[in-house]
């Protein structure tokens, strides 16, 4: 299977698309100034103890209080608390865990008011990002994730990934990690550590330990609430989690992000650093790889797939509901039962893709087409488990109920990705009246004149809808050629599939968008009417 990662870096957000055989299977969008990402460390203050919930609300600087449950304190909370006290008592020296005596574990059935008090300072880690009206969820079981291992202070255990099947390799890794692991730290060995040399593992171990020591030193100098440690850039963290030898290309359209990713790949897989490539074409990177079209067809309430069948996706705060419909199947099976099985199996493939693509979590209820034969129901259940096997999020699938419903629970760490595929009219901005579409090229002409003659911008790219781009470049004596002769050859007209029909966007030579919207663009009719009314009032 051919795997490619496409990274689209814009001014306000980064979009990361994973393609498998040129088919979009995962899409993540992150604001470039996003905070409270899973893995970040904060110095926080206990704001309120809630005995009824056996939890505490914490002030981490977010608009909503963060939530810390007793079970998220971790069994080693006594050792953690003693370490923090030592760190705050002497802020000139970073305590060494290896020289501490680890305290007994806290009881699993304990209460929050027995271990925390209002105003207490804690070093916490984001376990779940803010979702809907809820603040972030926290944990004091701190961990630092690397490519080959996860390092956790206040423990002394070594756990090996269950996906490593070789007993000899498990014994080798356990002995190796035991010889390089500092005292007072637990380690989880990830699947990617299989068959790795001791030098690579030791190098990452030292890097993660330094992250811990630097975080404590920064904590000692900070005043709550304060960000202490940030995870790697979103693009790098995604690559860290999903990178494999099957990756053929990683395309990035931003030089700075390209450098970060190339350095990381060079560190974890020096032989594969050449797969990281800088995309430098004028055509938007998602358009070039056919991602924009797939996004528009894959998101939304109704999603069609092969043979005319389709699924309808609805979601609420608590759960997602998916309805499977056979539609106008062009090649129906000879009998209804076989036809239902065929549609359901194809729907299962698409649903598994949609769960990953939209990052849907919580409870998912699927209403498949009814099937009477038990063997067909079992076949569908087995097939759904098979296609969900590659999903990295923790999930649980239940067999079909007697009503033909399948229930799936899927780990929800981040908000579900909700992309609106409908387009707001760029001419009327929702008012219902637009300029004549034939005059749109006149408007573009005015904008070019304003850019070149008023703003004195000579080099820029104007992005327009592909249909409009084809029209202005049509023929030997095209409108585009006329504009080039009149305004100079420093600008380009490029198609962008993400734009609406009468929409345009202009970026300068540095890739920064130039805002050309004028008041007349929003409400020209209202302005003219208001002006005429004022004239009549003066005449009267």
């Amino acid at each position: 299977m051919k795997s490619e990662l496409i990274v689209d870096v814009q001014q306000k957000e980064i979009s990361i698309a994973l393609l498998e055989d040129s088919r979009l299977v995962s899409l993540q969008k992150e604001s470039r100034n996003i905070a409270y990402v899973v893995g970040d460390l904060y110095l926080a203050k206990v704001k309120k103890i809630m005995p009824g919930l056996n939890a505490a609300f914490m002030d981490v600087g977010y608009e909503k209080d963060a939530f810390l449950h007793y079970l998220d304190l971790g069994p080693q909370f006594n050792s953690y608390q003693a370490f923090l006290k030592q760190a705050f008592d002497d802020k000139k020296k970073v305590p060494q865990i290896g020289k501490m005596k680890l305290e007994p574990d806290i009881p699993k059935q304990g209460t929050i008011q027995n271990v925390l008090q209002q105003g207490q300072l804690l070093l916490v880690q984001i376990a779940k990002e803010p979702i809907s009206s809820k603040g972030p969820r926290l944990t004091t079981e701190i961990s630092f994730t690397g490519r080959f291992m996860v390092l956790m202070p206040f423990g002394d255990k070594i756990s090996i990934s269950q996906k490593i099947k070789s007993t000899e390799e498990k014994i080798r890794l356990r002995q190796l990690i035991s010889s390089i692991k500092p005292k007072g730290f637990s380690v989880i060995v990830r699947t990617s550590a299989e068959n790795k040399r001791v030098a690579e593992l030791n190098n990452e171990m030292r890097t993660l330990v330094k992250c811990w020591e630097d975080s404590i030193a920064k904590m000692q100098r900070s005043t709550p609430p304060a960000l202490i440690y940030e995870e790697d850039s979103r693009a790098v963290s995604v690559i860290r989690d999903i990178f494999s030898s099957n990756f053929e290309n990683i395309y990035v359209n931003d030089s700075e992000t390209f450098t970060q990713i190339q350095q990381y790949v060079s560190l974890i897989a020096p032989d594969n650093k050449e797969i990281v490539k800088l995309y430098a074409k004028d055509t938007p990177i998602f358009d070039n790889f056919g991602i924009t079209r797939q996004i528009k067809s894959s998101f939304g309430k109704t999603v069609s797939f092969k043979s005319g069948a389709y699924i309808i996706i609805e979601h609420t705060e608590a759960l997602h509901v998916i309805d499977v419909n056979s539609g106008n199947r062009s090649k129906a099976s000879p009998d209804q039962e076989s036809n239902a099985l065929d549609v359901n199996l194809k729907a299962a493939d698409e649903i598994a893709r949609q769960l990953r693509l939209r990052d849907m979590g919580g409870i998912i209820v699927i209403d498949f087409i009814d099937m009477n034969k038990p063997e067909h129901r079992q076949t569908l259940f087995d097939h759904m488990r098979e296609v969900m096997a590659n999903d990295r999020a923790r999930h649980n699938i239940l067999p079909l109920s007697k009503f033909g419903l399948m229930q799936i629970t899927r780990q929800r760490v981040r908000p579900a990705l909700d992309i609106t595929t409908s387009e707001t009219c760029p001419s009327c901005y929702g008012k219902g009246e637009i300029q004549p579409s034939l005059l749109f090229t006149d408007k573009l002409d005015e904008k070019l004149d304003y850019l070149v003659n008023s703003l004195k911008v000579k080099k820029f790219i104007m992005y327009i809808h592909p249909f409009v781009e084809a029209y202005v470049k049509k023929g030997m004596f095209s409108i585009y050629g006329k504009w080039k002769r009149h305004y100079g050859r420093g600008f380009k007209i490029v198609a962008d599939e993400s734009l609406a029909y009468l929409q345009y966007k202009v970026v300068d030579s540095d890739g920064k968008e130039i805002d050309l919207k004028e008041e007349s663009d929003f409400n020209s009719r209202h302005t003219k009417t208001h002006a005429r009314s004022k004239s009549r009032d003066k005449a009267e």
Side-chain angles (χ1 to χ4, degrees), residues 357-530:
L357 192 57
R358 304 185 188 214
D359 205 8
M360 295 162 61
I363 301 172
I364 300 107
V365 179
I366 307 169
D367 183 10
F368 284 105
I369 298 173
D370 291 339
M371 296 182 296
N372 297 321
K373 294 183 179 180
E375 59 268 27
H376 286 175
R377 297 159 71 92
Q378 184 63 38
T379 298
L380 176 59
F381 174 62
D382 293 339
H383 184 71
M384 178 58 86
R385 290 185 13 173
E386 180 184 343
V387 295
M388 288 284 288
N390 293 328
D391 194 335
R392 294 177 57 254
R394 291 196 302 270
H395 59 272
N396 186 31
I397 305 172
L398 298 182
L400 287 166
S401 70
K402 64 179 180 179
F403 297 115
L405 302 177
M406 179 179 287
Q407 298 177 66
I408 299 175
T409 59
R410 188 174 183 272
Q411 179 187 21
R412 177 165 61 181
V413 176
R414 298 182 178 88
L417 187 60
D418 186 18
I419 294 179
T420 303
T421 54
S422 58
E423 298 172 347
T424 300
C425 174
S427 296
C428 72
Y429 298 95
K431 293 182 174 60
E433 294 181 349
I434 67 171
Q435 61 178 324
S437 56
L438 280 174
L439 301 182
F440 183 58
T441 53
D442 294 344
K443 182 176 183 178
L444 295 180
D445 194 354
E446 292 174 7
K447 298 301 180 183
L448 291 172
D449 180 69
Y450 177 64
L451 279 162
V452 174
N453 297 322
S454 298
L455 298 183
K456 305 299 181 183
V457 180
K458 300 300 181 183
K459 291 187 177 182
F460 59 89
I461 299 176
M462 176 178 280
Y463 291 99
I464 55 179
H465 190 275
F467 291 176
V468 181
E469 187 255 1
Y471 175 73
V472 299
K473 292 184 177 180
K474 179 183 68 174
M476 184 178 297
F477 301 102
S478 64
I479 298 174
Y480 181 51
K482 174 186 170 185
W483 289 342
K484 281 281 191 180
R485 291 190 295 272
H486 187 70
Y487 297 113
R489 301 188 172 275
F491 73 94
K492 297 178 182 179
I493 301 286
V494 179
D496 187 342
E497 294 178 0
S498 66
L499 298 178
Y501 181 51
L502 299 181
Q503 191 176 5
Y504 62 90
K505 181 177 73 173
V506 178
V507 298
D508 60 20
S509 55
D510 295 326
K512 296 181 179 179
E513 185 173 352
I514 302 173
D515 187 6
L516 295 177
K517 293 186 180 70
E518 303 170 12
E519 186 178 352
S520 60
D521 292 335
F522 290 91
N523 207 1
S524 57
R525 180 177 292 273
H526 171 76
T527 304
K528 291 175 182 177
T529 304
H530 182 65

Side-chain angles (χ1 to χ4, degrees), residues 12-58:
K12 295 182 180 179
E13 68 177 11
I14 297 178
S15 301
I16 304 167
L18 174 62
L19 302 181
E20 292 180 355
D21 292 333
S22 299
R23 190 165 184 248
L24 180 65
V25 296
S26 176
L27 178 67
Q28 298 187 37
K29 289 179 175 284
E30 296 286 351
S31 172
R32 297 192 70 175
N33 57 354
I34 193 170
Y36 307 100
V37 175
V38 172
D40 288 354
L41 293 182
Y42 283 84
L43 178 60
K45 182 181 291 187
V46 178
K47 194 170 182 180
K48 189 184 296 184
I49 303 290
M50 303 295 290
L53 298 174
N54 203 19
F57 285 109
M58 308 287 298

Side-chain angles (χ1 to χ4, degrees), residues 75-84 100-104 154:
Q76 302 88 16
F77 185 74
N78 286 333
S79 301
Y80 160 92
Q81 207 168 20
F83 179 86
L84 286 192
M100 289 180 55
K101 181 182 178 182
L102 296 181
E103 303 288 335
F154 311 111

Side-chain angles (χ1 to χ4, degrees), residues 118 140 147 163 168 215 224 323 353 366 460 519 521:
Q118 191 168 338
T140 57
R147 170 67 179 154
K163 292 183 180 180
E168 292 80 5
S215 297
D323 184 36
R353 172 177 173 256
I366 307 169
F460 59 89
E519 186 178 352
D521 292 335

